[in-house]
Amino acid sequence: ALHEGHVVSAQELTEILQPVFTQNSRNLIVFLQDTLSIDDFTYFSESYGNKNPFQNQVNKLFMNVLQESLQSSPSSLVLPAVDCEATRYLLSFLQTSGDWKLTKITNLDVSHLEMDTSKPNLVVIQLQQLVSGFNELSALEAIAENDKIIGRLTSDLQEQGIPFSVIYTAVRPSRISRRTDVVWDLRRQLMATEEEESVSYAPLNVTTGNDTCILFYATNFSLKANSSVFIDLTNVTFVTQNVDISSSECSDINTILSLRYTEPVNGISSLEIRFLMSNKFYGGSARNWSTLHTVEIVQDEEKFANFSVSVVSAPAEYSFHCQLVGTSNLYPARLIPSNEEAKNWEVFISSLQIQGFNVENNQFSYASDCTGFFTPGIWMGLVTSIILLWVLSYGIHMIMQLTTNSRFDDPKGPALSVPQTE
């Protein structure tokens, strides 16, 4: 029994799942999603009504238990959760322990899955990636499609009479919940600080010899091709680091960060993303500045998209940080299409931090942020204050222009007559 708000560690998770590892059938199916949180089950089922994406028996059973717990709870309910580090540890632990027959499925085609029941089987199915950062309906559709895959495979195994156990989990959480007063580690924190603590992966680094020359980090790195194909590169870039960076180049003047992916999604065999940075001296500021001036996307070695970048620059000794970078007009740092092919792509990068020069101790230097000191809110406050000060000054000026009469009526004498000239 775990208390509310408890975060299950890697060691605790292996102990909890020990009966699954030692049972007679030992057929274990791991459905692995890129992001998932307990809150997703209640949020998507309640917010979209008849579009509830959880329809298969496994998720329905979990939903029924969850709803009963919520209804029977006398107050707000905070459930235990599994640490994302524990999930990664669990997969490596399963693959290295025992005599499992490991089967990995990444193409989402589970119709031809064959299991030899005479041996213990471990099947890891990489589900469709969710597209966080674009819209919730896209995530809803992806979860619904994953739910169908889970239901189809479990139904096929039941029809074949094969006993099995299922683990439905993810590499990292999709939501960062605010801590409440029932959580054991009680403290008040800003939402941004909580998000930083939840992300445990290190930045991607490019080295030349023993020295690191490029550091790249983001909490979300996603693309959208032709307004229909979503590609979430966050996990393969930073978590599993299943990305080829051998084409990256480093120098004191120009730096190229090259990210090559093999079959990131169905329909795209190869994808390369290049970040081109330069280090130049500017006489106006009497110092060198590092600038990310171009981003290139090469699909299948033939389709070339070129973007010019605005606002992404920092002193050469610093790193650059920006909360939102992408093709949207609403982002403070924009990727502007420079050719026709680039118009077919949408890019979303959140919490970007990049440094291509003067990297020391394999760590980011002080970050120069894309948000200037005078934000729109500050400008609005300044303009409003100036208007109020002008109204106050005008009112004081008008009051000071008021004059009193130089003579007054005597009630015992005749009425006072003041000529118009006075």
Side-chain angles (χ1 to χ4, degrees), residues 198-261:
S198 67
V199 179
S200 57
Y201 49 76
L204 181 71
N205 63 77
V206 178
T207 59
T208 54
N210 296 327
D211 299 326
T212 300
C213 60
I214 304 176
L215 288 175
F216 176 63
Y217 175 85
T219 57
N220 194 315
F221 184 23
S222 306
L223 295 89
K224 184 178 180 182
N226 301 317
S227 301
S228 59
V229 181
F230 298 101
I231 310 171
D232 191 343
L233 302 174
T234 309
N235 292 330
V236 294
T237 305
F238 303 104
V239 180
T240 62
Q241 295 197 355
N242 187 20
V243 55
D244 181 11
I245 57 176
S246 59
S247 299
S248 301
E249 300 177 5
C250 296
S251 71
D252 295 334
I253 301 176
N254 296 300
T255 293
I256 300 176
L257 172 61
S258 174
L259 307 175
R260 289 176 175 266
Y261 305 91

Side-chain angles (χ1 to χ4, degrees), residues 60-258:
K60 270 189 175 181
L61 177 62
F62 176 76
M63 282 296 302
N64 292 335
V65 175
L66 185 60
Q67 289 177 354
E68 290 178 1
S69 301
L70 290 171
Q71 294 173 359
S72 61
S73 177
S75 60
S76 59
L77 183 65
V78 181
L79 297 175
V82 178
D83 187 7
C84 58
E85 284 289 342
T87 304
R88 291 196 287 271
Y89 169 80
L90 175 64
L91 292 177
S92 61
F93 172 78
L94 289 175
Q95 295 175 19
T96 56
S97 63
D99 52 350
W100 298 96
K101 178 187 176 184
L102 177 62
T103 304
K104 287 187 177 182
I105 300 177
T106 57
N107 56 5
L108 302 181
D109 184 11
V110 297
S111 58
H112 303 292
L113 176 63
E114 297 181 357
M115 298 179 63
D116 183 5
T117 56
S118 62
K119 299 179 180 179
N121 293 277
L122 172 60
V123 182
V124 180
I125 301 175
Q126 185 73 47
L127 296 174
Q128 180 178 348
Q129 295 176 336
L130 308 188
V131 185
S132 54
F134 286 103
N135 55 68
E136 291 181 352
L137 288 178
S138 300
L140 179 72
E141 294 171 357
I143 290 179
E145 186 63 29
N146 292 341
D147 183 79
K148 293 178 182 178
I149 294 173
I150 296 174
R152 187 160 57 245
L153 177 60
T154 52
S155 298
D156 291 344
L157 294 177
Q158 288 175 344
E159 291 176 359
Q160 298 176 31
I162 300 176
F164 62 93
S165 299
V166 171
I167 296 178
Y168 181 25
T169 185
V171 178
R172 58 193 176 94
S174 60
R175 301 175 184 275
I176 307 299
S177 303
R178 288 189 180 273
R179 294 172 171 85
T180 62
D181 55 348
V182 297
V183 182
W184 61 276
D185 190 11
L186 182 60
R187 60 187 182 273
R188 293 184 179 181
Q189 294 179 327
L190 293 175
M191 200 64 175
T193 305
E194 293 185 359
E195 183 175 351
E196 290 175 1
E197 289 184 353
S198 67
V199 179
S200 57
Y201 49 76
L204 181 71
N205 63 77
V206 178
T207 59
T208 54
N210 296 327
D211 299 326
T212 300
C213 60
I214 304 176
L215 288 175
F216 176 63
Y217 175 85
T219 57
N220 194 315
F221 184 23
S222 306
L223 295 89
K224 184 178 180 182
N226 301 317
S227 301
S228 59
V229 181
F230 298 101
I231 310 171
D232 191 343
L233 302 174
T234 309
N235 292 330
V236 294
T237 305
F238 303 104
V239 180
T240 62
Q241 295 197 355
N242 187 20
V243 55
D244 181 11
I245 57 176
S246 59
S247 299
S248 301
E249 300 177 5
C250 296
S251 71
D252 295 334
I253 301 176
N254 296 300
T255 293
I256 300 176
L257 172 61
S258 174

